[in-house]
Amino acid sequence: MSESKGFQLGTIGALSLSVVSSVSIVICNKALISTLGFTFATTLTSWHLLVTFCSLHVALWMKLFEHKPFDATAVMGFGILNGISIGLLNLSLGFNSVGFYQMTKLAIIPCTVLLETLFFRKQFSKSVQGSLLILLVGVGIATVTDLQLNALGSILSLLAVVTTCVAQIMTNTIQKKFKVSSTQLLYQSCPYQAITLFVIGPFLDGLLTNQNVFAFKYTPQVLFFIVLSCLISVSVNFSTFLVIGKTSPVTYQVLGHLKTCLVLAFGYVLLHDPFSWRNILGILIAVIGMVLYSYYCTVESQQKANEVTTQMAQPKESETDPLISVENGATILGDGVVAKGPAWSSNKDLHA
């Protein structure tokens, strides 16, 4: 029980850290991009990852975590794929309307559910699927405005959705397969992500903004917000890997939509962004979906834990008393092994 409570507290802490850090970096980047005119998002992300790697290297030197090398090919492929998915998301925003880009982000959840069902045989109950649908409808009402379609933008959005889903599923599966922590995986994959974005970033940003990141005038105010954004990104990147490792890619996406709603609310309160009854209605529906999703996931997790506890409490065949077995008519083989039909068959894990 203590281990279960510790895991729950760790999960709550990871979710809280993710929400606080993500909302903070969105507000910081909004000031940097909208107010100060620094519109080079992909290059900025490469700096985020570089600072994250340097921070983790210092933490490793201070022996705050243990370096655990594993499959180099998997790490390289994972890091490059993560970098490409970020670039594609930025391209999707550049070549589509804001409304279609929001639809692209909404498509990540059903795509993740589909991939996990097809390739990992993971089962999602009707209750969980229904709560996700309510969530997506709410976020769609709150964020999606115009839907302008074009062929190139649609292709880029499709590639962005697929690569993002695969990268987030890999984040979860790699941690479990190689038994590495979120910190260990982030430390080893960060250089590949940073190099990928550092190479393609200036090109993509130039394509989208018609400006050169190296020719931009870096005032002290711009530099301050860049440094602040990079420092916050350490917490964002760490909490992302932590949340996906402790929960699932779908839960991380649900959390992402919660952050979207919070950003809308903070934008209205702090930055006086325009806000309508449609935004309020959408946020309320989304919150209902999130609450239902959390409730059903908690209930199903408790059911799974109870099933495991029940199975462990049942006596194993090797622990059966031979004398009792003889009295019950069981046949004893050599060395006191009892030949007896299995008392129960192990059920497959119930996936939330």
Side-chain angles (χ1 to χ4, degrees), residues 296-309 350:
Y296 290 129
C297 285
T298 302
V299 169
E300 292 177 13
S301 296
Q302 289 176 347
Q303 290 176 349
K304 178 181 176 181
N306 291 336
E307 287 182 4
V308 172
T309 303
L350 174 65

Side-chain angles (χ1 to χ4, degrees), residues 166-235:
V166 173
Q168 291 182 359
I169 291 172
M170 286 181 67
T171 303
N172 183 271
T173 54
I174 286 177
Q175 290 186 53
K176 292 180 178 177
K177 179 179 179 180
F178 295 103
K179 293 181 173 57
V180 293
S181 67
S182 55
T183 310
Q184 291 167 333
L185 177 58
L186 181 60
Y187 175 71
Q188 295 188 61
S189 63
C190 246
Y192 299 107
Q193 295 182 60
I195 291 171
T196 301
L197 291 176
F198 192 78
V199 170
I200 68 175
F203 170 75
L204 292 184
D205 290 334
L207 182 66
L208 296 173
T209 64
N210 294 320
Q211 298 182 55
N212 187 347
V213 64
F214 301 109
F216 186 80
K217 184 178 180 181
Y218 291 89
T219 64
Q221 194 174 11
V222 170
L223 291 174
F224 170 79
F225 276 97
I226 289 176
V227 171
L228 180 62
S229 178
C230 288
L231 292 176
I232 299 174
S233 72
V234 177
S235 176

Side-chain angles (χ1 to χ4, degrees), residues 65-139:
F65 72 97
E66 181 183 355
H67 179 45
K68 184 180 180 181
F70 58 98
D71 193 339
T73 305
V75 174
M76 182 183 298
F78 168 71
I80 294 174
L81 179 65
N82 249 324
I84 292 173
S85 70
I86 294 171
L88 285 170
L89 281 171
N90 288 338
L91 280 175
S92 174
L93 177 59
F95 283 90
N96 290 300
S97 64
V98 175
F100 191 79
Y101 174 71
Q102 290 295 340
M103 287 295 295
T104 298
K105 292 174 67 177
L106 291 177
I108 293 175
I109 283 184
C111 182
T112 303
V113 170
L114 178 63
L115 290 176
E116 290 198 307
T117 302
L118 291 177
F119 296 101
F120 294 91
R121 299 291 186 266
K122 187 171 183 178
Q123 298 178 359
F124 295 86
S125 67
K126 296 295 183 182
S127 300
V128 170
Q129 293 177 24
S131 63
L132 290 174
L133 180 60
I134 295 172
L135 165 68
L136 295 178
V137 169
V139 177

Side-chain angles (χ1 to χ4, degrees), residues 121-168:
R121 299 291 186 266
K122 187 171 183 178
Q123 298 178 359
F124 295 86
S125 67
K126 296 295 183 182
S127 300
V128 170
Q129 293 177 24
S131 63
L132 290 174
L133 180 60
I134 295 172
L135 165 68
L136 295 178
V137 169
V139 177
I141 293 173
T143 61
V144 177
T145 51
D146 56 325
L147 286 177
Q148 300 174 8
L149 305 180
N150 65 82
L152 179 59
S154 299
I155 293 172
L156 289 171
S157 294
L158 177 62
L159 292 174
V161 169
V162 173
T163 53
T164 300
C165 292
V166 173
Q168 291 182 359

Side-chain angles (χ1 to χ4, degrees), residues 19 22 27 36 68 74 120 141 153 158 178 217 267 282-283 311 321:
V19 170
S22 295
I27 295 173
L36 300 176
K68 184 180 180 181
F120 294 91
I141 293 173
L158 177 62
F178 295 103
K217 184 178 180 181
I283 289 175
Q311 291 175 0
D321 191 336

